[in-house]
């Protein structure tokens, strides 16, 4: 969502994406207190098990992961990094890729490197001949299970007021395969932006992810306490806004018209996806 003003004397805007795995599915719900952890045990006969049994055990380690994609710019870098630091940071490479050849072979059937990105030319600074920032596909992702969580400005703008949806930074062939897409509630800025701007932002995300059955709006504890939310819920302000705007137009397809927008605690996101896998 772009602001309606700009200052030509501002520093040239530089935008980029950063990724962070905030949940790897391997927490197991164990205590975070080291003193209360059960003693580690070693099973030395694993290699002697039949291959089909070993593969079933490896499969158990393929759990839903949450990959955060943050849109960062040089004006708000500190703020965004603070938001990211409040969330867990897990290893970016799935553990099965590092155990042995057998586990890696299995993992490569599920995970792939993806999410190459590029800043649209309209947000580049043509007078300085600066090429748009871009990144290679370096994020391990399982399109069947993993979720992409969007953080940062959802429609970033440059110093001239030009904007572009963050969802368009990704390749369409990647976003079209996403089955689980989520957006941080704090980035909608309901008290700052007009309803039509919020609808436009949601539209770009949903339209870019046709394989997703629902858009998940994740909330933090601060969001829940401030708005007295009972989660998860479809009876939320974002879903109501979406339906209100769609009722005024006939230029939508069935998937857009029936899209569910579910508000859910960010801490419950992985378990929700695992339940609905």
């Amino acid at each position: 969502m772009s602001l309606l003003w700009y200052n030509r004397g501002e520093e040239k805007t530089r935008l980029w994406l950063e990724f962070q795995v905030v949940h790897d599915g391997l927490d197991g719900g164990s205590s975070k207190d080291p003193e209360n952890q059960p003693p580690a045990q070693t099973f030395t006969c694993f290699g002697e098990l039949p291959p089909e049994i070993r593969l079933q055990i490896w499969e158990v380690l393929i759990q839903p992961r949450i990959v955060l994609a943050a849109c960062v710019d040089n004006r708000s870098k500190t703020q965004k990094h603070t938001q990211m630091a409040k969330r867990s940071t897990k290893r970016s490479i799935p553990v099965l890729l590092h155990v042995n050849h057998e586990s890696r072979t299995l993992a490569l059937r599920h995970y792939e490197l993806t999410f190459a990105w590029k800043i649209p030319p309209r947000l580049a600074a043509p007078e300085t001949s600066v090429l748009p920032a871009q990144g290679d596909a370096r994020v391990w992702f399982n399109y069947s299970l993993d979720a992409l969580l969007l953080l940062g400005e959802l429609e970033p703008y440059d110093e001239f007021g030009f904007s572009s949806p963050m969802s368009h930074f990704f390749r369409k062939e990647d976003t079209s395969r996403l089955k689980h897409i989520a957006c941080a509630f704090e980035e909608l800025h309901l008290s700052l932006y007009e309803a039509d701007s919020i609808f436009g932002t949601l539209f770009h995300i949903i339209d870019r992810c046709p394989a997703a059955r629902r858009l998940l709006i994740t909330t933090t504890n601060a969001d829940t306490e401030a708005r007295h939310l009972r989660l998860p819920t479809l009876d939320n302000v974002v879903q109501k806004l979406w339906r209100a705007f769609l009722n005024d137009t006939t230029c939508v397809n069935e998937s857009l018209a029936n899209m569910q927008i579910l508000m859910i605690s960010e801490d419950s996101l992985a378990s929700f996806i695992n339940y609905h896998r």
Side-chain angles (χ1 to χ4, degrees):
M1 287 168 274
S2 64
L3 298 182
L4 300 181
W5 58 269
Y6 64 91
N7 183 350
R8 290 183 181 273
E10 285 186 1
E11 178 185 0
K12 301 302 180 184
T13 303
R14 298 291 177 263
L15 295 160
W16 65 92
L17 296 185
E18 295 185 13
F19 296 89
Q20 175 179 322
V21 177
V22 297
H23 186 86
D24 60 7
L26 302 179
D27 293 339
S30 59
S31 171
K32 295 182 180 180
D33 184 356
E35 296 183 359
N36 294 328
Q37 292 281 5
Q41 298 182 7
T42 302
F43 180 65
T44 59
C45 301
F46 183 80
E48 300 176 11
L49 295 174
E52 58 271 21
I53 300 298
R54 295 200 303 268
L55 290 175
Q56 290 181 21
I57 295 174
W58 293 133
E59 287 273 5
V60 173
L61 296 179
I62 300 177
Q63 296 292 327
R65 297 159 67 247
I66 310 300
V67 177
L68 182 149
C71 182
V72 184
D73 65 65
N74 52 316
R75 299 164 301 184
S76 60
K77 178 174 65 174
T78 301
Q79 176 189 356
K80 294 308 170 188
H81 285 170
T82 299
Q83 288 178 273
M84 296 172 70
K86 292 179 180 179
R87 293 162 167 87
S88 299
T89 301
K90 304 297 183 180
R91 66 176 69 204
S92 59
I93 302 177
V95 64
L96 288 182
L97 291 171
H98 279 170
V99 180
N100 57 31
H101 176 74
E102 182 179 70
S103 68
R104 181 177 177 83
T105 300
L106 173 66
L108 289 176
R109 299 175 189 167
H110 298 271
Y111 297 102
E112 60 186 280
L113 286 172
T114 187
F115 296 138
W117 57 273
K118 184 176 182 179
I119 303 300
R122 76 184 72 174
L123 295 186
E127 72 280 4
T128 59
S129 300
V130 176
L131 293 175
Q134 55 188 321
D136 297 328
R138 296 181 177 178
V139 179
W140 288 103
F141 199 80
N142 180 345
Y143 278 97
S144 296
L145 287 180
D146 295 348
L148 186 68
L149 171 60
L150 303 180
L151 185 75
E153 187 67 45
L154 299 176
E155 290 212 21
Y157 62 95
D158 63 10
E159 67 274 15
F160 299 105
F162 295 110
S163 67
S164 180
M166 174 190 175
S167 56
H168 288 193
F169 292 8
F170 300 97
R171 300 189 311 167
K172 191 172 183 178
E173 51 264 42
D174 292 338
T175 57
S176 64
R177 298 173 59 196
L178 283 170
K179 293 185 178 180
H180 306 289
I181 180 70
C183 171
F185 176 76
E186 60 197 284
E187 301 300 355
L188 294 179
H189 303 295
L190 294 183
S191 61
L192 178 62
Y193 294 115
E194 298 291 338
D196 56 345
S197 296
I198 297 173
F199 172 81
T201 297
L202 296 174
F203 179 87
H204 287 302
I205 296 173
I206 293 172
D207 182 58
R208 203 74 169 183
C209 306
R213 295 169 52 190
R214 58 180 67 86
L215 172 62
L216 300 168
I217 305 296
T218 62
T219 65
T220 62
N221 290 335
D223 297 325
T224 304
E225 293 172 1
R227 293 181 172 268
H228 307 289
L229 300 172
R230 297 183 64 182
L231 304 174
T233 178
L234 285 170
D235 183 22
N236 62 78
V237 63
V238 185
Q239 178 76 82
K240 292 176 180 178
L241 183 152
W242 177 258
R243 288 175 176 167
F245 271 84
L246 288 185
N247 287 338
D248 292 333
T249 179
T250 58
C251 300
V252 294
N253 56 40
E254 184 177 356
S255 62
L256 289 175
N258 296 330
M259 175 58 64
Q260 290 185 346
I261 300 180
L262 179 68
M263 191 170 288
I264 187 172
S265 167
E266 189 171 310
D267 292 337
S268 303
L269 181 57
S271 58
F272 176 87
I273 293 173
N274 195 33
Y275 181 80
H276 293 276
R277 60 195 296 180

